[in-house]
Amino acid sequence: MNVNGQRVHPEDPTARLLDFLRDDLDLRAAKEGCGMGECGSCTVLVDGRTVCSCLVLVGQIADSDIVTAEALERSDPPGRPGLTDRLRAELVDHHAPQCGFCIPGLIVSAHAVLTEHLSPTDEQICCGLEGNLCRCTGYRSFVRAIQAVGR
Amino acid sequence: MTRAPAPLATTVQERSALIVGQSLPADDAWPIVTGALEFVTDRRVDGMLHAAIAHATVPHALIQSIDVTAARAVPGVVAVLLGGDVPVNALGDDDGDGPVIVDTVVRQLGDPIALVAAVDEATAQAAAAAVTAAYLPLPIVDSARSALEPGAPQLHDKGNVAGHLAFASGDVDAAIRGAYLTVERHVRTPVQEHVALETPGGIAMPDGVGVTVWCGSQFPGVHRRKIARALNIDIADVRLISNPVGGAFGSRNDDPMPVYLAVLAWATRRPVHLKMSREDVMLIGQKRHPFDITTRTGFSSDGRIVASDMTALVDTGPYTTSGPNVLKTSAELSVGPYRMPMARFDGTVVYTNNANGGAFRGYGVPQSAFAIETAMTQAAADLGIDPVELRLMNILRGGDEHALYRHHVTTSLRAAETLQAAAEHAWWRDRAAWRAAATGPWLRGTGIALAMKGVGLGSGKGDTSRARLIVSREGVVQIWAGPNHTGQSIDSSYRQVAADTLGIPMDRIRMTVGDSQLVPEAGSTSSSRSMYAGGEVVRRACVELLDRIETSTGTRVVDPSTCRALIDSGDAEILAEFRLPDSDLGMIPPGQLVTFAPHLVFGCSAQVARLEVNRYTGELHVCGIVCAIDCGTAINPAGVIGQAEGGVTQGLGYAVMEEHLIAGGRPLTKSLETYAIPTSRDVPPIETILVDGSEPTGPMGAKGMSEVVVVPTAPAIAAAVLDAAGVLPDRIPITPERMMRWMSGEQEAIA
């Protein structure tokens, strides 16, 4: 398995990907908010797809490429370098993070929306973020920030 | 990537614009978006143990014995702590506050009966599951009404009444008898769960003679006192570092987690990490109190309110927590932002075996406001008066007498202007066209509601914030201030206030919040007081700095040379204090101000909701919310808008989705699978309007707003339902099932 470009060798195939990232690799951007795939705080990219890392065992994805919020720029699409940096900057400038606990998962989903759609609509953004709960913001600041990246 | 901090200026720069009033990102925004920010539960320490909670498996019982033999035999277990292992096993002075670890009586399903520490989390959880107890079951008190019945099982030594508050400012019965119209309503509001995304937890370690705890807390002073009591140590020996934390909304006010952590570290003499699961929080985390309210509001024929009479029955569950204090704010806002000759409130908080109530954004006001605001909506319909006009002709203005206590409210109250600002929005003005454009099964409607909420803990409580300030020889100003930060970037706003007060750029100011070792006791991050109380004490510290510099150097310029002069004179450390002003007594008897704790300063919000209701399925589709806010000066407008949008979204959840259900003391909504909160697809466009105003006692004219924005959403949505479907909801959340019942005539339609 590759995590953020590093070859890693999990000892326990039955470990949850979230625990492996946080406890074995000290990558603690992905958070646990519910442990059952409802809140999306643990979202990471597995072979380019958004996945709740609390629902995946490392043995299920032994040959996969994992990207977490810490190294999201590794997933910037060819021809769109700097997408992650722009997304981060727009989130900051739009005052999107409040407590920030949801952001490391949410930004992975936002990145996926922007990878799929050059200039996503309100509806496309809201569908893309539907699996990421945020209790602070009401999501509108995320929509504004993502649309600013898309412009 | 992170943005490097701007290089420190070596000379004082002239600034062309005021910093207060500019929208600025939170100080920790970059660490958040890069995933680098370490939350309290992310923290790791070498050699730390992991903990788990063993829960009671019955809702109400006497504990006959607890068997920890199997738990202690699990390899890797370091400690299994019972109530008797806590030096003083109490969360407060009163029996109603409950013990730290339950050892004699279980009062709710999931009560902690043991705390386990082990070498890893899985071991701790396995050992916690192996703790068994023999229970003598007691009858379950499953509702507030049954708690008051003769012969009901009593949850505490003092019985089932946790608190009672009653006040009348006139002969309300006579006034209502003489009224042209009396609107009578019986409303019920649900248990709402905070769903702060970071579940309670953190880490604690023994620290010399005391203990250091990293754990979310909205009231570090109270949590430190609880820890000191439980461990029988001096409060000075308890260090609490309470941020960064993943949301609060009131949930970190009554939460005993800092005490659990401290007890574990104290007993094991090792660092201990504990983080509750979401299921644990759903089970035993404190929630918004459910209210059962009957209200009578009397009107003259021309629409003036002659009296309001509200009775509330409140279920606080097994322990007191904030229950009686919540009742105070409910009472105060039972009259809404309205003038009237007299009012009465009578409220009772009772113990049951249901979910434990606690502090939650709005603190009792969303409940009483739903009653009074839907009464205003119904009165407008009954009297044939426009709902905005009806409210305006009764509106409480700055400096007016409060309807219940007859004390005078702040001159900065701009309820009328806030209501008018919302009503000037196109979504209110165009409501007839919106309604007329309904198609197919979808009925359309628009509603409006208004609310205010006090800022600070209330009069008579000695509510005080504090800050400490020092300067460096390089001219950098370091400030330690509170209240602390639970997600509202309050530290950034404090820096804005400091920068403008001192006349220096923000990059010369360092701000630290949330560490009790460094920040003097500054009170709670609650009651919409942070910007007001913390901002003002920061301003005062800065003014004191300028005064001292002037004394020392003859100028009021903060630069390296004046700071050096101050340091050399031994005068460079400042401790500032802001005692929040009390209101006058009004009709409150002398010596009883704290009993009712009325407020002087209020923030205000008016909201318009437009929505669609499906006449066949009862589905509700909220299409837009306008949120007008009276917060005085908006120090950081983007921060205010963020609070408004988040507050409206919690209000939306409260209005149409969220309800923690419990039956026979056993929760039915056990996780986020069954307890739904709004997602990105549930939140409509929200238009925030900041109403001009200035609070004379607040920093640069600011006052608090982050609770009141939750309040008008549900009554505005209820009013829109009336407009669309001709029925006025008497309970929330307005689920499709309830809509179907109301539309089929099970509740009398009034329009």
Side-chain angles (χ1 to χ4, degrees):
Chain A
M1 175 191 299
N2 284 309
V3 175
N4 296 340
Q6 302 285 314
R7 192 81 194 155
V8 295
H9 305 279
E11 284 175 20
D12 177 6
T14 69
R16 298 187 306 169
L17 175 58
L18 177 61
D19 295 329
F20 177 64
L21 293 172
R22 289 176 58 85
D23 298 338
D24 294 0
L25 301 183
D26 286 340
L27 293 170
R28 282 190 283 274
K31 311 293 185 210
E32 177 159 353
C34 71
M36 62 191 305
E38 290 289 336
C39 78
S41 303
C42 65
T43 305
V44 300
L45 291 173
V46 176
D47 297 327
R49 293 192 309 162
T50 55
V51 166
C52 286
S53 60
C54 73
L55 295 181
V56 183
L57 305 183
V58 292
Q60 292 176 281
I61 49 169
D63 299 318
S64 292
D65 272 312
I66 317 298
V67 174
T68 70
E70 287 100 335
L72 195 54
E73 63 278 1
R74 299 190 67 86
S75 288
D76 287 352
R80 295 172 72 194
L83 177 63
T84 294
D85 282 346
R86 281 214 51 207
L87 175 57
R88 288 171 174 163
E90 295 293 355
L91 287 169
V92 169
D93 290 347
H94 284 81
H95 215 281
Q98 288 190 27
C99 85
F101 197 79
C102 71
I103 299 284
L106 189 140
I107 197 171
V108 173
S109 297
H111 189 276
V113 169
L114 285 161
T115 301
E116 192 178 347
H117 308 284
L118 263 178
S119 191
T121 63
D122 194 310
E123 176 70 12
Q124 286 165 337
I125 294 167
C126 288
C127 286
L129 301 185
E130 192 184 8
N132 294 87
L133 294 180
C134 169
R135 194 57 155 169
C136 295
T137 66
Y139 308 98
R140 304 308 301 175
S141 51
F142 301 132
V143 174
R144 292 191 287 267
I146 293 165
Q147 283 183 330
V149 178
R151 273 196 294 274
Chain B
M1 101 178 213
T2 53
R3 261 182 202 169
L8 191 64
T10 49
T11 57
V12 177
Q13 297 160 349
E14 285 299 315
R15 290 169 312 112
S16 56
L18 290 177
I19 293 168
V20 164
Q22 288 184 31
S23 289
L24 297 176
D27 287 351
D28 54 10
W30 272 98
I32 287 171
V33 297
T34 55
L37 188 71
E38 186 179 65
F39 289 80
V40 287
T41 59
D42 289 333
R43 195 174 179 87
R44 300 290 182 271
V45 174
D46 284 345
M48 73 181 192
L49 301 171
H50 295 262
I53 300 170
H55 298 285
T57 54
V58 292
H60 198 194
L62 294 174
I63 297 176
Q64 294 177 306
S65 62
I66 298 175
D67 187 350
V68 297
T69 318
R72 287 199 170 126
V74 175
V77 167
V78 174
V80 181
L81 305 177
L82 300 178
D85 298 313
V86 184
V88 178
N89 189 27
L91 286 169
D93 291 332
D94 187 90
D95 170 62
D97 297 323
V100 180
I101 300 174
V102 167
D103 53 359
T104 55
V105 187
V106 174
R107 297 184 178 91
Q108 72 174 332
L109 188 72
D111 261 346
I113 58 168
L115 297 177
V116 177
V119 292
D120 59 46
E121 196 176 342
T123 303
Q125 285 171 354
V131 174
T132 57
Y135 300 107
L136 183 65
L138 297 169
I140 290 159
V141 180
D142 66 355
S143 74
R145 293 207 178 277
S146 63
L148 295 176
E149 281 169 7
Q154 304 294 297
L155 267 81
H156 290 283
D157 297 345
K158 63 180 175 188
N160 284 347
V161 175
H164 178 243
L165 196 74
F167 197 90
S169 53
D171 188 347
V172 166
D173 290 326
I176 285 183
R177 272 197 303 276
Y180 170 79
L181 168 74
T182 300
V183 174
E184 296 190 28
R185 293 193 45 81
H186 176 201
V187 306
R188 280 166 292 172
T189 63
V191 177
Q192 186 179 26
E193 162 63 33
H194 304 83
V195 196
L197 272 185
E198 185 179 30
T199 52
I203 192 166
M205 54 198 300
D207 176 13
V209 296
V211 63
T212 295
V213 180
W214 285 265
C215 183
S217 170
Q218 290 177 253
F219 210 152
V222 166
H223 274 127
R224 288 173 71 217
R225 280 188 279 285
K226 287 183 179 181
I227 291 168
R229 179 202 329 268
L231 300 182
N232 199 21
I233 61 176
D234 196 283
I235 188 172
D237 298 323
V238 179
R239 181 179 186 183
L240 180 55
I241 299 166
S242 49
N243 45 243
V245 67
F249 321 114
S251 68
R252 308 200 194 271
N253 194 72
D254 300 299
D255 180 17
M257 178 55 71
V259 186
Y260 297 161
L261 286 165
V263 165
L264 283 158
W266 189 253
T268 60
R269 309 307 300 169
R270 300 263 298 270
V272 182
H273 182 274
L274 172 60
K275 183 172 185 284
M276 280 169 83
S277 69
R278 180 60 60 187
E279 288 81 356
D280 284 356
V281 185
M282 294 302 298
L283 187 61
I284 58 171
Q286 292 75 34
K287 307 180 201 315
R288 192 186 296 286
H289 290 91
F291 275 49
D292 187 314
I293 299 175
T294 52
T295 185
R296 299 185 297 160
T297 317
F299 293 84
S300 67
S301 58
D302 61 357
R304 282 177 298 109
I305 304 173
V306 299
S308 163
D309 183 18
M310 187 179 289
T311 305
L313 182 58
V314 181
D315 183 352
T316 199
Y319 303 108
T320 311
T321 64
S322 293
N325 283 326
V326 161
L327 198 58
K328 294 178 188 179
T329 38
S330 304
E332 184 182 35
L333 276 311
S334 66
V335 291
Y338 302 114
R339 277 192 296 200
M340 61 193 85
M342 66 190 74
R344 179 166 66 192
F345 180 88
D346 190 304
T348 306
V349 183
V350 300
Y351 298 114
T352 69
N353 298 116
N354 290 334
N356 199 187
F360 197 145
R361 194 178 194 173
Y363 211 69
V365 180
Q367 297 94 325
S368 57
F370 184 71
I372 184 76
E373 279 303 287
T374 55
M376 293 300 285
T377 295
Q378 184 169 329
D382 289 353
L383 292 165
I385 299 176
D386 176 86
V388 173
E389 283 308 309
L390 182 72
R391 286 175 171 87
L392 283 176
M393 75 173 70
N394 291 290
I395 204 92
L396 191 72
R397 294 183 187 272
D400 274 354
E401 268 187 18
H402 184 267
L404 185 59
Y405 301 124
R406 317 311 298 184
H407 66 289
H408 292 86
V409 303
T410 179
T411 54
S412 80
L413 179 68
R414 306 206 76 205
E417 294 82 354
T418 306
L419 180 62
Q420 284 165 324
E424 280 161 17
H425 193 279
W427 291 350
W428 180 253
R429 281 191 283 107
D430 299 344
R431 61 192 181 281
W434 172 259
R435 194 170 192 273
T439 55
W442 292 97
L443 305 164
R444 284 182 161 194
T446 307
I448 195 163
L450 176 67
M452 66 180 196
K453 163 80 181 58
V455 174
L457 299 184
S459 302
K461 294 200 163 183
D463 193 6
T464 303
S465 57
R466 292 182 186 83
R468 194 159 66 88
L469 178 155
I470 62 169
V471 294
S472 76
R473 302 185 78 83
E474 292 74 34
V476 172
V477 178
Q478 165 73 51
I479 303 172
W480 296 268
N484 63 0
H485 160 49
T486 60
Q488 63 287 75
S489 64
I490 195 71
D491 38 353
S492 315
S493 301
Y494 293 163
R495 287 173 69 225
Q496 289 180 268
V497 169
D500 272 357
T501 307
L502 296 172
I504 60 175
M506 282 178 76
D507 62 20
R508 299 177 70 89
I509 299 161
R510 305 286 181 272
M511 187 67 63
T512 303
V513 299
D515 182 344
S516 69
Q517 188 103 320
L518 304 171
V519 181
E521 168 68 66
S524 60
T525 304
S526 77
S527 58
S528 306
R529 75 190 278 283
S530 301
M531 189 67 258
Y532 175 74
E536 175 59 13
V537 79
V538 165
R539 193 193 67 81
R540 289 181 180 207
C542 292
V543 169
E544 173 69 16
L545 174 62
L546 293 176
D547 289 348
R548 289 192 191 181
I549 286 177
E550 186 170 23
T551 303
S552 174
T553 70
T555 73
R556 293 179 77 82
V557 174
V558 182
D559 65 16
S561 74
T562 60
C563 288
R564 275 196 289 272
L566 208 57
I567 292 166
D568 293 342
S569 70
D571 222 12
E573 178 169 4
I574 289 166
L575 186 66
E577 202 169 83
F578 172 47
R579 166 84 184 258
L580 278 65
D582 285 343
S583 68
D584 60 280
L585 277 170
M587 287 176 61
I588 294 171
Q592 290 190 33
L593 198 57
V594 70
T595 305
F596 302 97
H599 290 80
L600 170 68
V601 178
F602 293 88
C604 185
S605 174
Q607 293 178 18
V608 171
R610 58 161 41 173
L611 52 71
E612 298 179 321
V613 180
N614 190 303
R615 73 176 87 212
Y616 303 126
T617 65
E619 287 168 272
L620 222 64
H621 177 205
V622 178
C623 304
I625 306 270
V626 178
C627 176
I629 306 164
D630 163 28
C631 66
T633 303
I635 301 290
N636 184 349
V640 173
I641 292 166
Q643 288 291 312
E645 292 179 344
V648 165
T649 301
Q650 287 183 5
L652 173 73
Y654 191 52
V656 305
M657 299 172 74
E658 298 182 36
E659 184 168 27
H660 177 73
L661 296 169
I662 192 162
R666 293 180 183 272
L668 306 174
T669 41
K670 299 176 186 174
S671 71
L672 296 183
E673 219 169 42
T674 43
Y675 185 91
I677 65 168
T679 72
S680 53
R681 297 191 72 188
D682 296 313
V683 181
I686 299 168
E687 305 249 329
T688 303
I689 302 166
L690 305 182
V691 176
D692 278 345
S694 184
E695 165 52 41
T697 63
M700 277 81 172
K703 57 186 181 180
M705 52 66 64
S706 58
E707 290 177 288
V708 73
V709 288
V710 174
V711 182
T713 320
I717 287 172
V721 166
L722 175 66
D723 187 42
V727 293
L728 183 63
D730 58 5
R731 66 185 298 180
I732 44 176
I734 305 165
T735 59
E737 293 80 3
R738 287 181 183 141
M739 268 314 304
M740 290 308 292
R741 283 204 297 275
W742 295 327
M743 287 194 294
S744 68
E746 286 183 38
Q747 183 224 33
E748 188 187 337
I750 66 151

